[in-house]
């Protein structure tokens, strides 16, 4: 979703802003812009479409400070007028914003009569408000910014510049992510560390409702009452190669290929010197004290929660309930007496999940965040964190994070179960089983050409498709269908195979593609019955089966793995199916339309 980058005190400001925005492209956007200022002049450049189109317009734009933005349209269409940065009535103040200002229409009515607006955005109203307090009411820039921040309701990360003063960027945040990057003789601001990793690996957090004054040689953090706050910097464990594509045509393929390595990294991260599974004792205690685990997540992370439910319940002896974060934000069901909320989130920034976490914290409910991003909002604000160790995931379509989420929860389930003396947990040799999963993934990855051919035959032309499965395979079907639809735009649904005959089978006609997932020895024969039902109605069926249930004629056969971990292994061919189906359609695999990687608005 929207991304912010800013720099002060560097003669390459334009280049830094453009490169930073390119690094933020993965978050999803439909227009972009930069404002660059030097001693004597300033320039504003905007473009609809890709950063390359913006970059092409910036020749000759030079300065020592600036702010840039990628916009994912919420209020108003993706046009140049609606693209950020926005300017105040006299064009003196310039602002970029990530988030949603809830009371922007009230502000317009109450404070800004007679002002002229170029677009429809909430952000333009915010910068007019700041400008009004300076230009009409005589406040200083900082007092004006603070006064506006007290009036504005909603979520925001703001970076503000005064075009008459290229020495300072003023920033503030509430619920939306923003970081300070500390350079050598210059400083930066950005929505995530990846945008600045070329320049620095030293960062400083900003907390909600703080105002930060960023200059080339100083960073001052204040609360809205002007009290100065001390803040240490930290080193980000990222390097440039983590965020490059290398020789891959798309990030998604790179990230699919990285999954065996991620499984092995997780083994290293969650075992001790003796190879025993180890998880923070405080986290084990939090699960032991809970009478029910509530998993809250969105999209792929929500599906990873389903895929982990049976394993968590059987090994921890604790019931697990799943909640869609965007639903729970506005209405929680009746909770058990001792709930533990587990937030699964690749980015750790998903606004829907954060909204639930804020409520959980108000209610004193203990919480654990399972995330790929250390220091992310959900990680900072939850009681505990378990990291995915998957390395940056750039493609919008989540792949390695899903498999890492299930594997990470397997370590949690195993550690709690062992601590409880659960027999199944004691017998579950997770390290060995996860190594087998890594091998199984490798063997699937070596079959890319075969999978590509089958996809070309099945999905090149179709407008719709179905995934079916039972038990764990149903949960994988949900994820597989999300993956296919979000990047190939094929309308695809994942169904519990036994449910087809209760309605959905009406959609099956001659040539409808149905992909069946078969891993469970008890359930596979029932799913095969459902395959016959759709074949009888003309469906073209592709089967993905684990060896132990495979039959002659199955299209993709996978190594056997432990049933708790089969969703990890089963999902990989479905990721490749989505990838190749999209490739054949000539679409942008890493940046599907309308989607954002980090969904930072509700
Ligand atoms: O960062 P999160 O895991 O919280 O994101 C949740 C969803 O937005 C995300 O999983 C989304 O569904 C993926 N793009 C799907 O591939």
């Amino acid at each position: 979703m929207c991304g912010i980058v800013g720099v002060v005190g560097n003669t390459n400001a334009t280049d830094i802003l453009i490169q930073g925005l390119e690094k933020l492209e993965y978050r999803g956007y439909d227009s972009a812009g930069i404002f660059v200022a030097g001693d004597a002049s300033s320039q504003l450049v905007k473009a609809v479409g890709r950063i390359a189109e913006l970059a092409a317009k910036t020749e000759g734009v030079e300065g020592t400070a600036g702010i840039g933005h990628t916009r994912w349209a919420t209020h108003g269409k993706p046009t140049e007028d609606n693209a950020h940065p926005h300017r105040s009535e006299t064009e003196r103040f310039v602002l970029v914003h990530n988030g949603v200002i809830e009371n922007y229409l009230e502000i317009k009515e109450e404070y800004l009569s007679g002002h002229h607006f170029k677009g429809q955005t909430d952000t333009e109203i915010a910068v007019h408000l700041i400008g009004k307090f300076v230009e009409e009411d005589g406040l200083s820039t900082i007092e004006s910014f603070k006064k506006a921040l007290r009036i504005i309701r909603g979520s925001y990360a703001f970076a503000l510049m005064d075009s008459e003063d290229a020495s300072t960027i003023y920033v503030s945040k509430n619920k939306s992510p923003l970081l300070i990057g500390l350079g050598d003789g210059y400083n930066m601001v950005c929505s995530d560390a990846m945008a600045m990793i070329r320049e620095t690996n030293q960062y400083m957090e900003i907390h909600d409702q703080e105002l930060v004054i960023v200059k080339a040689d100083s960073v001052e953090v204040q609360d809205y009452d002007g009290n100065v706050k001390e803040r240490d910097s930290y080193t980000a464990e990222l390097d440039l190669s983590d965020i490059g594509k290398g020789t891959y045509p798309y990030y998604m393929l790179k990230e699919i290929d990285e999954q065996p390595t991620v499984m092995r990294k997780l083994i290293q991260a969650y075992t001790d010197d003796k190879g025993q599974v180890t998880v923070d004792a405080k986290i084990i205690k939090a699960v032991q004290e809970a009478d029910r685990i509530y998993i809250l997540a969105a999209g792929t992370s929500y599906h990873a929660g389903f895929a982990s439910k049976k394993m968590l319940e059987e090994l921890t002896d604790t019931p697990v309930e799943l909640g869609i974060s965007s639903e729970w934000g506005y209405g929680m069901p009746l909770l058990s007496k001792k709930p533990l909320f587990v937030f699964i989130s690749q980015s750790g920034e998903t606004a829907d999940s954060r909204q639930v976490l804020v409520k959980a914290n108000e209610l004193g409910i203990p919480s654990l965040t399972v995330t790929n991003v250390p220091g992310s909002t959900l990680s900072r604000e939850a009681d505990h964190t378990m990291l995915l160790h998957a390395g940056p995931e750039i493609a919008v379509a989540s792949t390695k994070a899903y498999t890492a989420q299930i594997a990470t929860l397997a370590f949690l389930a195993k550690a709690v179960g062992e601590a409880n003396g659960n027999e199944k947990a004691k017998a579950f040799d997770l390290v060995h089983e996860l190594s087998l999963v890594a091998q199984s993934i490798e063997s699937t990855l070596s079959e890319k050409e075969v999978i590509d051919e089958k996809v070309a035959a099945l999905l090149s032309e179709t407008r719709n498709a179905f995934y079916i499965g039972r038990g764990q395979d149903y949960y994988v079907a949900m994820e597989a269908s999300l993956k296919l639809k979000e990047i190939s735009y094929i309308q695809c649904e994942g169904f519990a195979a036994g449910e087809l005959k209760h309605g959905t089978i009406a959609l099956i006609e001659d040539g409808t593609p149905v992909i069946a997932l078969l891993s469970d020895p008890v359930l596979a024969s029932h799913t095969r019955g459902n395959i016959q039902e759709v074949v009888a109605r003309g469906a073209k069926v592709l089967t993905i089966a684990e060896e132990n249930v495979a039959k002659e004629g199955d299209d993709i056969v996978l190594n056997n793995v432990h049933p708790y971990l089969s969703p990890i292994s089963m999902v990989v061919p479905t990721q490749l199916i989505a990838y190749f189906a999209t490739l054949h359609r000539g679409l942008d695999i890493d940046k599907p339309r309308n989607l954002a990687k980090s969904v930072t608005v509700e």
Side-chain angles (χ1 to χ4, degrees), residues 298-301 344-348 350 396-398 405 482-483 486 599:
T300 289
S301 298
I344 308 180
S345 175
Q346 188 284 132
S347 62
T350 298
V396 164
S398 184
Q405 285 161 347
L482 173 62
K483 209 73 354 178
E486 73 173 322
V599 186

Side-chain angles (χ1 to χ4, degrees), residues 324-373:
I324 296 178
S325 295
S326 56
E327 290 292 314
W328 281 44
Y330 294 95
M332 286 199 201
L334 184 63
L335 299 175
S336 66
K337 291 204 165 54
K338 293 182 191 165
L340 170 70
F341 278 20
V342 175
F343 293 88
I344 308 180
S345 175
Q346 188 284 132
S347 62
E349 299 294 349
T350 298
D352 292 324
S353 295
R354 198 217 176 201
Q355 192 189 24
V356 184
L357 176 55
V358 167
K359 293 210 167 121
N361 284 343
E362 279 165 13
L363 294 168
I365 297 170
S367 55
L368 162 69
T369 290
V370 178
T371 184
N372 202 24
V373 185

